[in-house]
Amino acid sequence: MPKITIDGKTLEVAKGTSVLEAAQLLGVYIPRYCYHPKLSVSGNCRMCLVEVEKAPKLLTACSTEAADGMVVRTDSDKVKTARRDVLEFLLINHPLDCPICDQAGECGLQDYYMDYSRAKSRFAAEDKVRRQKRRVLGPHLVLDNERCILCTRCVRFCSEVTKTSELDVMERADHSYIDLKEGRSLDNNYTLNIADICPVGAWTSRDFRFKSRVWFLKKAPVACLGCATGCLAEAHHNENVIYRLLPRPNAETNTWLCDRGRMTYKAVQAGDRLAKGVIKNGLIDLEPALREAATRIDEAKAAVGVLGSPWLSVEDNAALALLAAGMKTANFCFDFKFETGIADGILVNKDPSPNAAGAARVKAVRGGLELQAFAAKVASGEIKTVLAEARAAGLIKDALKTSGARLITFATNKGDIPAGAYATLPYASYFETAGTFVNYQGFERRLEPVVAAPEGVKPFWAVVNKLGAYSGVLLRLDSADDAMRGLEKK
Amino acid sequence: MISVKKVNNRPLNFLERIYLPEIVRGIAVTARHFFTNLLRPGNILTVRYPEQTIPLPGAANQRTRHRLKLRADGSPKCVACFMCQTACPAYCIHIEAAEYAENSVEKYPAVFDIDLSRCVVCGMCVEACPEDAIAMDTKEIPGGALTRRDMLLTKEDLLRNLPGEPSLLGASNRLANEYLEGKK
């Protein structure tokens, strides 16, 4: 175990730890561009130069292994001068188009310039090397080669994380630039991570392009509900609008976030967002829609089937379980078995639903039918009216089609409503209301509202509560936590 | 230390105490102004603002109504960098950015509103602008509108050049200048 001294502080680190990582453990920040904890060490940006005793020259902290008795200084004049000079090199050809650059505000060049340089440029703007600006690469990214500092984080990401190797540094020395390899396109499912790890504004997101300035954005912790992996994410929002989702790196589940997961926020602000009830194909107000649905449930009485959903939170599934219990029907199902596991070796799960494990918790307490048995009962006509969340209804769509059972669904977006649904009731998405999800590893994700729901749209448990009241079942739910009563033993 | 100022109020004398002479004196002042204005209306100091204005003195550095400068091709110099909106202490600037299809400067404001009823005329937006795109040199004093809507300056209201422009100053104007040269 080598013992290393950095700026007078001594620490014993594991063998193979770099000086930069050791400094991080000691709370000493060393500036870096090309170093990334999840990528291989490249050592090309020279920003992390530190002074090591007995070494003739400054060494790059990211690629120097900590050795026993090593004495490192990161605050000497020599290091400070080195940082200033490296920044001067990096900024020689920088176009300084911060006013039109989306990275401004979270840019490594801006931040380090203010922290370590503040020097006036000695190079004339006319002499800067010109490169291609604004080049759309792939469905999600824009590349600006003028802003690039050739740290090769993007190249290493594509070759090491996605293993698709679309990008490379072309040509040599002053001529080098990042480009796609011939005949390739940048269309893997993780491209937006490149925009995140790019320390400058060379790679920017097409989706976020010119939407907002980053310093206006507020950050809220969320989890991605795109699949059962349940990656931790961060919603960046301002004035009730979500602008983007970014990963919240953690040791258990994810460092990155897939492109499809990042786009899940769009459904919240989509044009087809439901704010009213739907009966057959016509929009009507929520109240009459609720009454109509309640009448149909009353009509069918014991022939009502309640289907939980792996796309709903634990609380909302529990609310459905309470409704089923109140209606004294034995036809309810919280059994969703999907094959789980990482499908692509990075993040995307084989299970497309975010909360099958959470629904299983309700099943463990309440019991209920297996999904096949439920579908069979629907197909045989034993269940005449089905109460289900839109995407869960899709799981039994064949049975619904053969029997023609009346389907009452809950949906957030018009596009989700399954064909042939009799009535649809809107509910607030999980960016707008609280809920608990359980990912495939069994980790709980407690979601808190980020933005406000459209006017008149209520959380799922509140819709169930009202539907129950109108059909003669008093559930008395005042909050999502109230619904957790459904998880208590009778 | 709070400084304390002692005021010695003079006690009222006899004439003031009996009240009526002072009233007459006051009415006399009012009447004098009334008759002067009636007989020589040219000497009235009051101006019927906003229909009438007084020309502002000389080339003093005054902050007056905003304007957005134009490039040689008539496009706004503003690139919607949101610096003015960020610097504005009164939150009176509202910008929505959009993207040019071909112009190499890439970004322009699709919406640029200044709410004059909120503006405190501090000039921070001009200070913050890296593009030399916003100025407060129109020598017009804002205000005096009948509706709130009239106090809202839109992009169209703001875009105007003074004689001797366009100027080619500004940080990322290099891109715009190149684009304009390419169009010639």
Side-chain angles (χ1 to χ4, degrees):
Chain A
M1 296 281 269
K3 231 181 194 167
I4 181 169
T5 309
I6 301 173
D7 290 353
K9 288 181 261 185
T10 308
L11 180 79
E12 205 167 307
V13 292
K15 202 172 160 16
T17 312
S18 69
V19 173
L20 192 144
E21 284 157 354
Q24 204 142 330
L25 291 174
L26 279 170
V28 175
Y29 185 79
I30 297 176
R32 79 293 295 266
Y33 287 119
C34 68
Y35 169 83
H36 189 280
K38 294 285 170 182
L39 300 176
S40 66
V41 170
S42 168
N44 65 48
C45 76
R46 320 309 285 179
M47 198 59 210
C48 64
L49 288 175
V50 289
E51 196 174 355
V52 179
E53 229 168 63
K54 295 195 189 91
K57 289 198 272 184
L58 299 181
L59 299 177
T60 49
C62 68
S63 60
T64 307
E65 200 176 301
D68 202 26
M70 201 181 235
V71 180
V72 179
R73 301 248 30 129
T74 71
D75 52 0
S76 65
D77 284 342
K78 222 171 157 185
V79 173
K80 280 180 189 159
T81 318
R83 286 175 183 169
R84 207 190 58 223
D85 293 349
V86 166
L87 267 172
E88 186 167 18
F89 268 129
L90 291 175
L91 287 167
I92 284 178
N93 289 319
H94 189 72
L96 277 182
D97 53 358
C98 309
I100 58 164
C101 177
D102 266 343
Q103 190 83 0
E106 52 182 10
C107 173
L109 288 171
Q110 286 184 339
D111 292 349
Y112 290 168
Y113 175 80
M114 294 310 283
D115 289 347
Y116 304 114
S117 166
R118 297 224 185 184
K120 269 220 149 60
S121 176
R122 291 186 279 163
F123 297 86
E126 306 84 64
D127 299 337
K128 288 184 190 254
V129 173
R130 307 302 312 272
R131 300 218 185 285
Q132 192 177 7
K133 293 184 77 69
R134 185 166 54 167
R135 180 168 165 211
V136 173
L137 275 186
H140 295 296
L141 291 175
V142 184
L143 172 63
D144 189 316
N145 270 319
E146 257 185 12
R147 296 176 192 155
C148 179
I149 57 166
L150 292 166
C151 71
T152 69
R153 270 188 186 183
C154 51
V155 175
R156 281 175 284 145
F157 178 84
C158 285
S159 66
E160 289 162 24
V161 178
T162 63
K163 301 196 171 60
T164 42
S165 309
E166 293 101 336
L167 296 169
D168 212 342
V169 182
M170 305 297 170
E171 308 214 16
R172 292 196 313 171
D174 199 22
H175 300 278
S176 43
Y177 60 96
I178 302 283
D179 199 1
L180 272 179
K181 287 182 187 164
E182 210 173 313
R184 305 294 298 275
S185 58
L186 195 58
D187 52 2
N188 65 61
N189 193 24
Y190 294 88
T191 53
L192 273 172
N193 292 298
I194 297 175
D196 288 354
I197 59 172
C198 181
V200 299
W203 290 103
T204 47
S205 158
R206 276 174 81 181
D207 176 50
F208 183 61
R209 192 164 170 80
F210 300 162
K211 292 267 173 67
S212 173
R213 286 308 223 167
V214 293
W215 55 83
F216 293 128
L217 299 178
K218 299 169 199 86
K219 295 164 189 172
V222 293
C224 173
L225 302 181
C227 69
T229 307
C231 298
L232 294 184
E234 200 172 62
H236 288 199
H237 64 104
N238 185 28
E239 292 178 353
N240 225 16
V241 179
I242 303 174
Y243 286 98
R244 58 178 180 180
L245 290 188
L246 255 52
R248 215 159 17 116
N250 58 95
E252 291 79 24
T253 314
N254 65 306
T255 309
W256 319 107
L257 200 57
C258 72
D259 291 351
R260 202 180 62 83
R262 282 175 200 252
M263 294 299 144
T264 49
Y265 81 91
K266 294 208 138 192
V268 180
Q269 281 133 225
D272 70 341
R273 192 64 206 280
L274 272 182
K276 284 181 166 186
V278 180
I279 300 289
K280 286 176 183 160
N281 280 324
L283 278 174
I284 63 166
D285 281 341
L286 180 61
E287 284 293 307
L290 273 167
R291 280 179 199 284
E292 172 66 18
T295 318
R296 299 298 154 215
I297 291 170
D298 253 1
E299 262 176 24
K301 294 249 163 59
V304 174
V306 177
L307 181 61
S309 169
W311 280 275
L312 292 176
S313 69
V314 177
E315 289 88 346
D316 294 344
N317 272 311
L320 275 179
L322 285 174
L323 184 70
M327 290 194 297
K328 299 193 174 60
T329 172
N331 302 324
F332 58 91
C333 163
F334 293 94
D335 166 62
F336 303 96
K337 289 195 192 78
F338 293 98
E339 194 188 348
T340 60
I342 303 298
D344 61 353
I346 310 173
L347 286 176
V348 178
N349 209 292
K350 286 174 196 156
D351 175 1
S353 70
N355 203 25
R361 284 191 184 182
V362 179
K363 186 183 184 245
V365 179
R366 294 267 153 183
L369 302 168
E370 304 247 305
L371 188 61
Q372 277 81 14
F374 188 86
K377 275 194 168 184
V378 173
S380 68
E382 201 175 324
I383 297 174
K384 291 198 179 64
T385 301
V386 178
L387 212 58
E389 189 266 341
R391 279 163 293 185
L395 299 174
I396 55 163
K397 63 171 184 274
D398 293 336
L400 284 166
K401 213 171 181 184
T402 48
S403 71
R406 189 168 267 154
L407 175 63
I408 295 169
T409 63
F410 305 87
T412 53
N413 290 62
K414 219 169 174 184
D416 289 343
I417 303 176
Y422 177 76
T424 306
L425 303 169
Y427 69 92
S429 84
Y430 292 102
F431 285 105
E432 298 155 346
T433 179
T436 308
F437 285 76
V438 185
N439 85 340
Y440 77 114
Q441 299 158 303
F443 290 119
E444 256 185 34
R445 272 85 167 92
R446 171 83 189 166
L447 298 182
E448 293 297 333
V450 177
V451 292
E455 210 185 323
V457 177
K458 294 192 167 50
F460 189 87
W461 55 265
V463 179
V464 170
N465 186 43
K466 239 178 180 176
L467 190 63
Y470 288 162
S471 52
V473 183
L474 283 183
L475 298 176
R476 297 202 171 81
L477 302 176
D478 291 322
S479 69
D481 293 331
D482 272 1
M484 290 305 262
R485 270 189 284 132
L487 284 184
E488 287 161 19
K489 289 263 189 300
K490 279 166 272 181
Chain B
M1 270 290 284
I2 302 166
S3 64
V4 179
K5 189 178 177 185
K6 285 220 169 114
V7 182
N8 285 326
N9 279 330
R10 181 175 57 87
L12 299 179
N13 62 26
F14 177 73
L15 276 181
E16 282 164 352
R17 259 181 296 156
I18 60 171
Y19 188 66
L20 271 177
E22 287 297 302
I23 290 291
V24 174
R25 202 157 72 94
I27 289 172
V29 171
T30 312
R32 195 182 76 230
H33 281 288
F34 174 76
F35 285 109
T36 348
N37 290 349
L38 188 72
L39 299 174
R40 304 173 65 188
N43 282 11
I44 301 175
L45 291 173
T46 314
V47 166
R48 287 162 186 262
Y49 181 81
E51 287 82 9
Q52 281 178 352
T53 48
I54 308 173
L56 291 168
N61 249 345
Q62 304 148 60
R63 293 190 296 269
T64 48
R65 213 197 78 162
H66 317 71
R67 69 184 176 100
L68 286 176
K69 296 186 188 176
L70 295 160
R71 297 203 187 98
D73 66 342
S75 62
K77 282 183 89 176
C78 172
V79 296
C81 72
F82 287 76
M83 278 296 146
C84 50
Q85 185 177 331
T86 308
C88 180
Y91 303 105
C92 71
I93 304 180
H94 171 77
I95 306 170
E96 278 167 34
E99 188 170 358
Y100 279 123
E102 46 141 3
N103 191 334
S104 51
V105 79
E106 296 179 31
K107 206 176 174 189
Y108 74 97
V111 175
F112 195 112
D113 293 342
I114 295 183
D115 190 349
L116 286 179
S117 56
R118 283 191 182 188
C119 176
V120 293
V121 207
C122 65
M124 298 284 262
C125 47
V126 183
E127 291 279 315
C129 184
E131 295 296 325
D132 184 36
I134 191 167
M136 295 178 78
D137 53 4
T138 50
K139 301 238 168 9
E140 290 167 24
I141 307 224
L146 292 174
T147 61
R148 281 178 193 277
R149 174 61 191 80
D150 292 344
M151 298 290 276
L152 189 76
L153 297 179
T154 61
K155 191 172 112 181
E156 287 67 37
D157 302 331
L158 287 163
L159 280 174
R160 97 160 80 140
N161 269 347
L162 294 183
E165 282 181 324
S167 82
L168 296 173
L169 296 172
S172 77
N173 236 334
R174 172 182 65 103
L175 296 162
N177 295 343
E178 279 170 14
Y179 173 71
L180 288 179
E181 269 164 36
K183 279 223 303 192
K184 268 176 208 162

